Amino acid sequence: MLRRRLMFSAALVAAFAGLASVPAAAAGPAVSPGHGVAAATGVNPGKGGSRPGGKTVSSPADRTVVTPGTRSGGTARAQGAQGAQTNPYLAIDLEASTPTAHSIDLTTRVSSEVADLDITIAWGDGSSDKVTASSTGYDRRNTQHTYAAVGSYTVTVTVKDTTNGAEAVNRLDFVTSGSEYTAHAPTRLLDTRAGLGAAQAKVAGRGSVVLKVAGAATIPAGVTEVVLNVTATNAAGAGHVVVQPDKDGFETGSNLNYAPGQTVANQVIVPVAKDGSVHLINGGWDSVDLIADVTGYFTASVASGYTTLNPVRAVDTREGIGTAKGQVAGYGTFGVDMAGRGGVPKGVTAVALNLTVTNPRAAGHLTAYPSGQAAPSTSSVNFAAGQTVSNAVIVPVGPDGKITIRNGSWDRADVVADVVGYYSTDSRAALVCLGGPYRVMDTRIDSWGRKAGPVPGRTMLPVQFDADTTNSDIDGWVLNTTVTNTKEAGFLSVTADPNTWPDYRNGTAVTPQRPVSSSVNWTAGATVPNLVQTSGGKGGVIDFWNQGWQDIDMIVDLIAWYQTS
C-alpha cells in the first residue's frame, strides 16, 4: 500500500457503480452570477491512512552473497546463501515499497552473529546512505530515498562485519510507481463494429473485451498506462463501461455511462496489465459496441511530466476566443495556438483540455489532433443535434505549438475548449495510477463529514483529497466525475480550492472565486460523466461547483494523481 494520507470510507467503496444516462440537449457552458457554499466534506478526515494501490518488491535473504572474513577461509551457508565461517548467520533480506511517485521505502533485515556492522545502501542513481548497526543477532530498519527521475534502479545493500572482515551483498531491482507521458498520434485501436482490435460483434451485457495495447500502433512493450478515448454506441439498453487492467473487481466505479441508442465518449487513463492488455467491461445488461482511440501512453522512464493549470478558456467560437467568431462550418477545421498562451509554455508535448461542443445543428463529432497532420479517423467528442456535451482530451501539440480541431458534422457547431494542464520535459509531476476507477464520493449516500443529499443549485462543495497539509505534493488529481438526478440544464466546474482543510474546520476559509470554465454539462434527466484533471491547491482540497439552478447528485471516482515527490 502506498504510505500516503488519503483515507476512503468503506461505504463509499461499496457504493453503486453503474449509472445509466439519457441523451442530453442544449446547455451552454457560459457562467451566470451566483454564490453559495455547500457543506464541506472530506474524503480523508484527519491524519493517517493510505491511498489504495501501490506495489512491493523483495529480494530474500537466500540471494545474499557473502565474502568470507580474514579469520578463516572457505565458505559456509547462511539461510541458504553463500556465507562465511567467521559469521555463519550473516545475511540480508530486502523489501521495498512505493510511498510516492519518485521514492522508495526500503526495509533491510540483517542477521548477524556479531554486533559491529557497517551498512551501505547504494540507491542506483549514484547516491548512497551509510549506517552502523550495533545490535547482535538482528538489525531491521526502514530507509527512504527520493529519485530525481522516474525509472528502473538497482539498489545494492552491502554489510561489512568489521570484527571478522566478512562482507555480505544483496541487490533489489526497483521501478518507481510514477510514470511519464509520451504523446501518440490519435489512432483507432478498437472498433467492435468493424472487428478492429477484437471480434466483430457487440460486447454482451456483463461481458468484456480484451484490447492488446502494448505493441499496437507505436505503443511500446513497456507501457504502464495508456490514454484512450472510449466510445459506446449502438447500445441496446442503458449501462456503463469500466476500463481496467483485468476483468475482476469492477463493482465500485465507472468510466462511461450510456443510454439506449446513444453514442457517448469519455477519456480514460488506465494501467496496462503485464501481458500488455486492458479490459473494457460492459456493466450494462444489454449489448453495446465499443470504440477506443489512443492519444498517448505512460512509461516508467523519463519522458514528459505534467503541470496542472487553473482552467483557462482557450477557445470559444461564440466569443471569438482563440479563433474567429462564429460557428465552425460542417467538416471545417481551425488551428489553435497553445504554446505561449494561457500559462502553457513553448516546447510542450501535449495539452490537457476540456473540449465542449454546443449549439450543433446536426449530429456529429469533434476531433482534436496535432497541427501539421491529416485529420485522423478518430473522435474526441460525440454529439447529437442541439446537444451541449464535454469530454476531456489530451492532445499532442504540433511542432509549431498548435493543435487542430475539426467539426466532423455536416452542419455548423460552436466549440469551447478549456486548458487544464500540459505535458513537457520540464514538468516533474509523474502519474500514479490506480488499478481501475475507485469510488470516493457519492452524494446519494452518507460520506465522511457529510450526510447523503444532493448538491444544491448555485453552490460549491469543497472536498478534501489530501491530508491536513499546506504544501501538497500532488500537482493534479484525475477524477471521473458523474452528475445525475438532474432537473434542468446546467454545468459543473471543478477547480482547486485556495484554502486548507483546517481553514474549513476552523471557520476561517475564504469563499473561492467562481470559475468561468465547465467540466460537465447536462440537461434535465441526464446522467453525464467526464474525466476531470484538476489541482487540489496547496491544501489538497477540490471544489465542485454546481453552476445550475437546481439540485444535482454527484459521483466521483478516483483514477490517478500526478505527484512531484
Side-chain angles (χ1 to χ4, degrees):
M1 297 292 288
L2 297 179
R3 299 296 180 184
R4 286 286 302 173
R5 296 152 292 187
L6 189 59
M7 187 183 263
F8 299 103
S9 164
L12 291 177
V13 175
F16 177 69
L19 295 168
S21 66
V22 297
V31 173
S32 55
H35 65 278
V37 178
T41 186
V43 177
N44 170 27
K47 299 179 179 179
S50 60
R51 293 194 179 110
K55 53 189 175 183
T56 300
V57 293
S58 62
S59 182
D62 60 9
R63 295 182 183 177
T64 305
V65 177
V66 179
T67 302
T70 56
R71 286 201 319 183
S72 63
T75 60
R77 291 287 180 181
Q79 295 186 10
Q82 187 180 15
Q85 292 178 354
T86 50
N87 194 344
Y89 300 106
L90 185 61
I92 309 167
D93 181 83
L94 303 178
E95 185 176 279
S97 60
T98 55
T100 64
H102 294 83
S103 67
I104 178 174
D105 187 337
L106 178 68
T107 299
T108 57
R109 303 177 183 90
V110 179
S111 58
S112 173
E113 190 179 60
V114 298
D116 296 327
L117 301 174
D118 288 338
I119 303 173
T120 301
I121 304 172
W123 297 108
D125 60 352
S127 64
S128 61
D129 286 330
K130 295 182 178 181
V131 296
T132 299
S134 58
S135 58
T136 304
Y138 184 73
D139 179 84
R140 182 188 186 280
R141 64 184 66 237
N142 284 84
T143 312
Q144 288 197 352
H145 178 72
T146 300
Y147 293 99
V150 300
S152 301
Y153 298 92
T154 298
V155 179
T156 303
V157 177
T158 303
V159 177
K160 292 184 178 180
D161 172 358
T162 58
T163 301
N164 300 299
E167 180 178 282
V169 178
N170 198 355
R171 293 179 174 85
L172 178 145
D173 293 325
F174 178 83
V175 181
T176 60
S177 62
S179 301
E180 294 195 358
Y181 175 81
T182 299
H184 192 290
T187 305
R188 182 143 295 173
L189 300 183
L190 173 70
D191 191 339
T192 59
R193 302 169 303 177
L196 175 65
Q200 186 177 359
K202 284 186 176 183
V203 181
R206 313 302 287 179
S208 65
V209 61
V210 180
L211 175 62
K212 186 68 176 292
V213 295
T218 60
I219 304 173
V223 60
T224 53
E225 294 90 11
V226 65
V227 182
L228 300 173
N229 194 61
V230 177
T231 304
T233 190
N234 301 326
H240 66 280
V241 177
V242 181
V243 187
Q244 58 186 39
D246 50 39
K247 185 178 179 180
D248 300 322
F250 65 93
E251 292 84 2
T252 61
S254 62
N255 293 105
L256 178 65
N257 301 81
Y258 60 83
Q262 186 182 30
T263 296
V264 59
N266 199 13
Q267 182 173 263
V268 172
I269 300 176
V270 58
V272 177
K274 290 183 179 180
D275 64 359
S277 65
V278 299
H279 284 71
L280 291 86
I281 303 165
N282 178 12
W285 294 103
D286 296 292
S287 61
V288 65
D289 276 311
L290 296 179
I291 303 165
D293 303 324
V294 63
T295 61
Y297 58 87
F298 292 84
T299 55
S301 55
V302 175
S304 292
Y306 184 69
T307 298
T308 190
L309 295 173
N310 290 326
V312 177
R313 183 137 295 176
V315 175
D316 192 337
T317 60
R318 303 167 303 176
E319 303 293 335
I321 298 174
T323 188
K325 184 176 181 179
Q327 290 192 304
V328 183
Y331 305 122
T333 63
F334 64 94
V336 184
D337 285 309
M338 300 304 306
R341 293 182 59 228
V344 179
K346 294 182 179 180
V348 299
T349 56
V351 289
L353 306 174
N354 195 61
L355 185 62
T356 303
V357 62
T358 189
N359 305 320
R361 298 185 174 226
H365 64 274
L366 298 180
T367 302
Y369 56 98
S371 64
Q373 299 184 8
S377 57
T378 59
S379 61
S380 302
V381 181
N382 298 82
F383 54 87
Q387 187 179 31
T388 294
V389 60
S390 301
N391 195 25
V393 292
I394 298 175
V395 188
V397 175
D400 59 357
K402 296 182 178 181
I403 66 170
T404 302
I405 299 176
R406 179 179 184 268
N407 177 11
S409 171
W410 65 269
D411 211 339
R412 292 175 290 169
D414 279 309
V415 177
V416 180
D418 297 322
V419 184
V420 299
Y422 61 86
Y423 299 84
S424 77
T425 55
D426 294 329
S427 301
R428 178 172 170 79
L431 181 79
V432 179
C433 201
L434 302 181
Y438 193 97
R439 184 139 299 171
V440 298
M441 188 175 70
D442 187 337
T443 61
R444 301 168 300 178
I445 65 175
D446 292 346
S447 58
W448 289 106
R450 185 181 188 276
K451 287 291 186 180
V455 181
R458 309 306 297 171
T459 64
M460 177 269 289
L461 175 64
V463 181
Q464 180 192 23
F465 274 78
D466 211 341
D468 291 350
T469 177
T470 59
N471 188 28
S472 177
D473 63 351
I474 305 298
D475 191 57
W477 297 88
V478 185
L479 312 171
N480 200 66
T481 306
T482 303
V483 173
T484 191
N485 296 330
T486 59
K487 299 178 179 64
E488 65 178 29
F491 64 99
L492 184 77
S493 300
V494 183
T495 58
D497 192 299
N499 301 288
T500 65
W501 199 245
D503 292 333
Y504 281 104
R505 283 205 305 264
N506 300 333
T508 59
V510 299
T511 301
Q513 183 178 356
R514 183 175 292 275
V516 297
S517 60
S518 64
S519 302
V520 184
N521 297 80
W522 67 83
T523 53
T527 294
V528 184
N530 197 18
L531 190 78
V532 176
Q533 298 198 142
T534 180
S535 168
K538 63 182 180 181
V541 180
I542 299 175
D543 296 335
F544 296 84
W545 294 80
N546 177 6
Q547 305 275 32
W549 294 97
Q550 298 293 326
D551 297 353
I552 60 168
D553 276 310
M554 188 175 63
I555 300 96
V556 180
D557 294 329
L558 178 62
I559 305 296
W561 56 86
Y562 296 96
Q563 194 167 29
T564 55
S565 66

